[in-house]
Amino acid sequence: MTKRVAILISGGGSNMVALAQSMHGDHPARPVLVMSNDPQAGGLAKARAMNIPTLAIDHKPYGKDRAAFEAALQKALETAKPEIICLAGFMRILTPEFTAKWEGRMLNIHPSLLPKYKGLHTHARALEAGDSEHGCSVHEVTAALDDGPILGQARIAVHAGDTPETLATRLLPLEHALYVAVLRRFAAGDRTPINLDG
């Protein structure tokens, strides 16, 4: 039995595309929904081009009522019946009530070597700290921001003259490779952490 996967995005969806393209053949999972909080997210058109059902639930009309927004998310997910949720550049902080519903079944990719640099501006923060290496992490989602068991990390060296933009560009292919590798193992029931080096 293949696992049903929903992917949540907010932007161009490059990680979503990598995940979706990997889920074929003997892969233990299949994409059943790509959902965004931004109706203009570029990734929605990419998902439609791959014949994956899409849905946009604009967070703006909900204002600060996070619970109402998440109730709409939850309703859509219950209709799609995913067994795994992959957050792929989904730029909304989820409440503990929502994450509790999906505990052990929701993954996220974060552009830092967690537990370093939770939150935003990770590339700039790594440079400001003078780090010699940088990377990304895939982890299970828990109530705490960018926390939860780490299922994989990929590392790159920081070069002299690097900027947040050059780091982000160099890291992106590794993000794709790491998330694809972790999802495949996770869907097969294997939570052993993976390490990739760029």
Side-chain angles (χ1 to χ4, degrees), residues 5 7 15-31 50 52 86 176-177 179-184:
V5 178
I7 306 172
N15 270 302
M16 176 276 296
V17 169
L19 291 173
Q21 287 177 341
S22 75
M23 285 186 263
H24 61 82
D26 65 354
H27 196 288
R30 291 290 183 272
M50 292 188 283
I52 303 168
C86 291
H176 297 166
Y179 213 169
V180 163
V182 169
L183 175 62
R184 186 180 186 104

Side-chain angles (χ1 to χ4, degrees), residues 52-179:
I52 303 168
T54 62
L55 183 65
I57 299 176
D58 191 345
H59 68 275
K60 293 191 188 91
Y62 294 93
K64 297 201 183 312
D65 191 349
R66 218 175 264 176
F69 169 67
E70 289 181 351
L73 277 189
Q74 180 67 20
K75 188 175 177 187
L77 290 167
E78 285 169 3
T79 301
K81 297 183 175 61
E83 289 143 296
I84 299 169
I85 297 176
C86 291
L87 305 181
F90 187 65
M91 302 304 288
R92 305 301 298 166
I93 294 173
L94 297 166
T95 66
E97 291 74 24
F98 184 86
T99 57
K101 289 187 180 85
W102 295 94
E103 193 162 339
R105 297 181 291 157
M106 184 160 36
L107 306 180
N108 181 47
I109 188 156
H110 183 71
S112 80
L113 294 171
L114 292 172
K116 283 186 171 184
Y117 315 128
K118 296 175 182 181
L120 300 174
H121 312 301
T122 58
H123 310 306
R125 289 157 69 193
L127 290 172
E128 285 162 13
D131 291 352
S132 60
E133 64 174 10
H134 185 47
C136 57
S137 307
V138 175
H139 64 96
E140 289 186 47
V141 176
T142 58
L145 179 67
D146 297 326
D147 205 33
I150 292 171
L151 299 174
Q153 292 190 317
R155 296 165 189 275
I156 57 172
V158 177
H159 299 156
D162 260 330
T163 65
E165 292 72 29
T166 61
L167 274 184
T169 300
R170 236 174 38 252
L171 188 58
L172 195 59
L174 276 179
E175 287 186 32
H176 297 166
L178 180 68
Y179 213 169

